[in-house]
Amino acid sequence: MGRPGQFVVVSGGTWTPYRVSTLYLPTGLLAGPAAALRNIRARPEREVWLICEGGALIDLDQRRLLWYGAEPVHPEWLTAAKHVLACAWPGWHVRWACDGVREFGDHIGLTGYDLVTAHAFTDHFADDRPQPPDDPDDPVGCLVTVGRTGGAVTAHAVDWPAQDSLLAYGPELLDELPAALPMGRLPVPVPLTALHIDPAARQVTAWGYEVPRGADARWPGWRLEFRGDRFAEQNAVCGAPIVAPLSLDWAYQTLRRCLVDAVEEVPTGYCARMRAYYGDLRVPGWDYRPEEVTAALTAVDAAARSTADATGPGR
């Protein structure tokens, strides 16, 4: 099933919006600009900006690609996808749009439009008390670290609610967190989102894929800083080895499998870890030509080699 998406193509100083499913968006862009443009332009144009769960802006004049959203929002998957896109779109400025469709509007100079994303900052509800994951092997929805008296740090794994609702608690969040993780559970894999709360400095640092709008008002007298997807910085910020390094091998393998399946319709071979969460990772109705898939597979291999050269195998 598709998700509502906003795609924009800028050419010759004019822009055209399109309605495209954003489900598993990265695999739709991996074959490079020509394949992406052909598929996007085959979709209906749209004149109204709707609430969007993802999308991409392709500026042919500036050779710029902005993209965000869709599934799977998993740090290892998205990190691998970013590396591959950088190889698949050579000579382009490729960037994840942390402010979603608002960044598209800023880029093309829109005013007076309702440019909103599906995950705007909202109040928490009475039943949204922070809950730990049911399965300790599941990805952590939000990893909250807290600086304690004497330099100690505690880490709290939250499965629900999402980061924006946690921030809606304000400083009261400190009293609502689940029990701290035991030392034997540390370090944990890179979470989907993260927070570090330093009560002494009255500072909150946030990591994630969407700007947590509206949170400042809930933390009067505190400083809030958003650092995007630079999750590795959480260890330095909190002063303890809480987060494990990224492991990208499985993500590259899954991207390869998606591209091969898109042409050959091979029904098996997905990485079990991803299929358990997301199933089929192809973009519904997306047309991949064999030569484009070959180019995309080359980009995947180049990104994997570059990552291995920089950080060692598996990172």
Side-chain angles (χ1 to χ4, degrees), residues 183-208:
M183 291 299 298
R185 287 278 312 279
L186 302 176
V188 300
V190 175
L192 306 185
T193 63
L195 295 171
H196 178 68
I197 304 174
D198 186 341
R202 297 177 69 82
Q203 176 160 332
V204 177
T205 307
W207 293 267

Side-chain angles (χ1 to χ4, degrees), residues 27-28 31-32 34-40 42-43 262-263 265 282-293:
T27 58
L37 286 167
R38 189 184 69 255
N39 280 282
I40 290 170
R43 270 56 183 177
V263 172
E265 296 297 329
R282 291 168 290 172
V283 178
W286 211 260
D287 169 40
Y288 302 84
R289 295 174 179 172
E291 66 273 17
E292 293 167 347
V293 174

Side-chain angles (χ1 to χ4, degrees), residues 129-131 169 171-179:
R129 300 180 68 83
Q131 300 294 324
Y169 274 94
E172 295 178 9
L173 176 61
L174 291 166
D175 299 322
E176 301 289 344
L177 292 170

